[in-house]
Amino acid sequence: MKFHPSVIIFDVDGVLVDTRDSFQRTTLETVEFFVGKRVSRRELHRWKNRPGFNDDWKLSTAWVNAMGKNIGYEEVKKKFVEIYWGQNGKGNAAREKWLLPAANLRRLAKLAELTVFTGRVRRELDYTLDRWKVRDFFQKIVTVENVKRPKPAPDGLLQILNGRDPSVALYLGDNVDDALAAKAAKMPFVGILPRRSEERRQRGALLRKLGALTILSDISELESLLKS
């Protein structure tokens, strides 16, 4: 890294939030509900390696139908949402973990403008930001509902830039669509993939091929990277 970004744009899932027991688990449980048999995280990440599957509802629907079923998107989405939220706040949403402590965010906010571009809908993001009390660190937030075209289109990134040179920004993400969005926006990109994880085994080389400057094992490593 030979530059110091003035705007840092975070993806949420897999970057700021550990979703292995929330969104990933819900995807597996949704697919298993419709197909009647167990599926694996390895298979899940094979799907996530494909462009256009940043949306877990879309991914779940495609996966279910690829296994010989004929289930519509709205039906799959309804079951996914039901499993994710659960009853009385006891669904898989409650299992997610915030990964970047407030102290780190406070220091990063002194280095650059902090923003978010996520494939989540607003309800899902609001729940997380309010639960972990981190909303005020982010100067601009763009969800999938704020763009005409979702990732891998660069619309959300360009909306945050608002006419500024993309080279002054840095996007941090964990999947193919994040990297493609950054590439389309001509914006520097850094991947976040946990060390020794299935995600890193399957996607590390792919993100580099798509232009990632480097791959961090944890978002907390960003501060050291910027200071170096």
Side-chain angles (χ1 to χ4, degrees):
M1 297 257 309
K2 294 182 179 180
F3 77 105
H4 296 283
S6 57
V7 183
I8 298 174
I9 308 174
F10 296 93
D11 178 37
V12 174
D13 298 337
V15 176
L16 293 173
V17 176
D18 182 344
T19 61
R20 285 174 289 187
D21 283 329
S22 58
F23 280 108
Q24 289 187 26
R25 181 174 181 148
T26 301
T27 301
L28 296 174
E29 291 178 356
T30 299
V31 173
E32 289 168 0
F33 174 84
F34 286 107
V35 303
K37 66 178 189 177
R38 295 290 299 274
V39 291
S40 71
R41 287 184 190 267
R42 179 170 293 182
E43 294 171 278
L44 169 62
H45 290 298
R46 286 184 188 137
W47 279 97
K48 284 184 172 291
N49 286 346
R50 305 181 189 184
F53 285 109
N54 188 59
D55 181 340
D56 288 327
W57 300 336
K58 181 180 177 182
L59 187 158
S60 299
T61 305
W63 193 353
V64 165
N65 289 305
M67 295 183 72
K69 303 296 179 179
N70 185 23
I71 312 294
Y73 172 82
E74 290 300 329
E75 186 176 351
V76 174
K77 174 183 172 182
K78 181 179 178 182
K79 174 54 64 175
F80 188 105
V81 171
E82 177 186 310
I83 294 171
Y84 180 75
W85 290 112
Q87 295 182 342
N88 302 316
K90 295 183 179 179
N92 289 338
R95 297 174 181 270
E96 69 180 20
K97 299 173 183 176
W98 185 262
L99 296 172
L100 192 59
N104 298 62
L105 282 166
R106 197 170 292 112
R107 289 192 296 269
L108 286 169
K110 293 178 180 178
L111 300 175
E113 174 187 330
L114 306 186
T115 64
V116 167
F117 174 39
T118 176
R120 287 192 182 202
V121 296
R122 179 65 64 167
R123 179 192 177 194
E124 295 164 350
L125 185 60
D126 284 346
Y127 167 82
T128 297
L129 296 179
D130 293 338
R131 178 185 177 194
W132 300 101
K133 298 179 175 58
V134 292
R135 180 186 298 276
D136 291 345
F137 289 107
F138 303 104
Q139 295 186 38
K140 189 169 183 61
I141 293 169
V142 176
T143 71
V144 70
E145 293 159 316
N146 301 131
V147 294
K148 289 185 177 179
R149 298 183 302 164
K151 302 176 200 177
D155 299 29
L157 298 176
L158 298 176
Q159 188 179 137
I160 289 171
L161 284 174
N162 193 27
R164 289 175 288 186
D165 185 341
S167 68
V168 307
L170 174 66
Y171 189 37
L172 296 117
D174 72 318
N175 65 37
V176 170
D177 282 355
D178 296 330
L180 288 171
K183 191 172 185 178
K186 297 182 172 57
M187 180 182 294
F189 175 75
V190 166
I192 310 289
L193 296 170
R195 188 175 288 109
R196 293 188 294 276
S197 67
E198 188 63 38
E199 295 99 309
R200 193 165 187 126
R201 283 190 289 272
Q202 290 202 29
R203 279 203 297 285
L206 185 53
L207 293 189
R208 287 185 182 277
K209 185 177 180 181
L210 291 172
L213 299 177
T214 189
I215 307 291
L216 303 180
S217 298
D218 189 281
I219 190 60
S220 63
E221 297 174 1
L222 174 61
E223 210 173 339
S224 297
L225 178 67
L226 294 178
K227 288 179 177 177
S228 70

